[in-house]
Amino acid sequence: MRKLFVLAALLLAAAITLPQNAVSAPVNGPKVPGPKYTYKLKSVFPVAGRQGVACDGKFIYVSGSKALYKYDMDGKLVKQNNNPFEGYPIASNHIGDIDVFNGEIYVSAENFMDGVGKDIQIAVHDAETLKLKRSFAFEPKSGQEEVSGITVDPVKKTVWMCSWVGEESGRYLYEYDINGKYLRKIHLQPVPQWVQGVYWVNGDLFVTADDGTADDNEPDHVYRVEVSSATNAPVVLEKTLDEAIKQGEIEGLCQDPVTGDLMVLMNRGARIVLGMGKGFYPGYDKEISEVYRYSMEPRGPHKPAPRR
């Protein structure tokens, strides 16, 4: 019996002196996930739109709440559409983040007012003219109540949408086929706060979250969602946007298919309440929208993201 007490005491002492992670994690178990890429700010350039950004390697496309813009790769405005809702089968007043795929711009559109969205649709515009080509209504049974961003998975040929509205709607990403048929939704775990944009990168989905309080100069973040066939998906912090000239509201994101650079649209100067502008911060008399371009290099054994 005495030997048993001695053995128990030795085991207890070993457990106390071992580092905490050695006790809680198996020797060959999974490691805590971290960012897949390292980022370095390369440039910042102003744009007219405040919502979304997309790039096909030849042009940069930017969405405002009620407009579409097309820039060359030097940031010069070459075309704009100030009436993008012309021809929409469902009336809209708001565009969120966008994506470009096979010469077409995928637009997340809705009616939005004071934090409430309705009449969601996927609108597809011609990348050359910025004019509407076709649109698809969303599936109400999905539970999605608002749309803040959209991206195309170029491998599976599917479309993903995100929701800025919290509670149940904002806990998921929603997948459709390329023709607008609803497929499924995946549960984000943990759930980022105030998701603004979504973009496909090498099999993962990157989302931007307006989770920093601008009044306290807190930065917003980019998260990586590891998508699989499961109904849920782990969410990993990928990048803190602490390089912002002035912390404000993060919006859409994309990747330059030629350089692999990450581009993130950020706004500063305006006070945003429930998604609507309510005056300006000291020193500003207008809102400023800018695209931040970062180099994006894979960490460790990760392979470079494929170019579209």
Side-chain angles (χ1 to χ4, degrees):
M1 181 64 70
R2 184 172 180 276
K3 290 182 178 180
L4 289 176
F5 279 118
V6 172
L7 178 60
L10 289 173
L11 290 173
L12 178 62
I16 293 173
T17 56
L18 281 172
Q20 184 177 356
N21 61 351
V23 173
S24 60
V27 174
N28 297 317
K31 297 179 180 179
V32 177
K36 272 192 176 181
Y37 303 89
T38 58
Y39 303 87
K40 183 177 181 181
L41 182 63
K42 296 175 67 175
S43 65
V44 179
F45 66 92
V47 292
R50 71 175 314 280
Q51 293 292 342
V53 59
C55 180
D56 58 12
K58 298 178 181 179
F59 296 97
I60 298 168
Y61 307 89
V62 172
S63 57
S65 299
K66 302 178 188 297
L68 291 173
Y69 305 92
K70 183 177 181 178
Y71 293 83
D72 66 18
M73 297 306 294
D74 294 321
K76 178 183 177 182
L77 182 64
V78 296
K79 191 179 290 292
Q80 64 188 79
N81 181 354
N82 292 322
N83 187 21
F85 306 120
E86 182 179 6
Y88 277 35
I90 304 172
S92 293
N93 69 358
H94 183 270
I95 292 173
D97 192 17
I98 59 176
D99 198 3
V100 60
F101 177 67
N102 279 353
E104 295 179 325
I105 301 172
Y106 284 73
V107 171
S108 56
E110 65 183 342
N111 267 302
F112 183 87
M113 182 62 65
D114 292 329
V116 178
K118 63 179 182 178
D119 299 331
I120 299 168
Q121 61 187 306
I122 301 168
V124 183
H125 289 242
D126 184 83
E128 176 61 31
T129 65
L130 305 184
K131 298 291 185 180
L132 176 70
K133 295 181 68 174
R134 61 190 183 278
S135 73
F136 311 103
F138 86 118
E139 174 51 67
K141 293 180 180 178
S142 68
Q144 186 176 359
E145 297 180 358
E146 192 272 344
V147 60
S148 55
I150 192 169
T151 190
V152 177
D153 178 335
V155 176
K156 291 176 57 182
K157 303 297 190 296
T158 62
V159 176
W160 289 91
M161 292 197 293
C162 58
S163 175
W164 176 82
V165 172
E167 300 303 327
E168 195 67 17
S169 178
R171 296 180 178 132
Y172 295 86
L173 297 178
Y174 305 84
E175 187 178 22
Y176 290 73
D177 71 17
I178 205 75
N179 296 313
K181 179 183 177 182
Y182 175 67
L183 300 176
R184 63 169 179 154
K185 62 182 179 182
I186 58 170
H187 189 186
L188 302 175
Q189 296 182 340
V191 181
Q193 184 183 38
W194 308 122
V195 174
Q196 294 278 35
V198 58
Y199 189 75
W200 183 94
V201 179
N202 199 22
D204 295 326
L205 293 174
F206 280 41
V207 298
T208 52
D210 184 28
D211 51 1
T213 302
D215 287 357
D216 297 328
N217 203 35
E218 295 175 352
D220 295 328
H221 300 89
V222 176
Y223 296 90
R224 188 181 78 255
V225 182
E226 299 180 345
V227 181
S228 68
S229 59
T231 58
N232 57 4
V235 177
V236 181
L237 176 60
E238 183 70 23
K239 168 109 181 89
T240 299
L241 279 305
D242 48 13
E243 301 90 352
I245 297 170
K246 160 74 177 173
Q247 294 299 339
E249 187 180 39
I250 194 173
E251 290 286 352
L253 76 166
C254 72
Q255 191 180 35
D256 183 332
V258 175
T259 64
D261 291 345
L262 179 72
M263 290 190 281
V264 181
L265 197 155
M266 290 194 275
N267 303 308
R268 58 185 170 98
R271 293 184 184 273
I272 307 299
V273 180
L274 294 177
M276 309 293 289
K278 305 291 182 181
F280 304 99
Y281 286 103
Y284 289 87
D285 58 6
K286 65 178 181 179
E287 184 178 58
I288 298 174
S289 300
E290 295 159 316
V291 172
Y292 284 62
R293 177 187 280 268
Y294 297 89
S295 63
M296 186 175 176
E297 298 297 331
R299 291 175 179 262
H302 298 299
K303 295 180 180 180
R307 306 293 184 247
R308 292 192 181 196

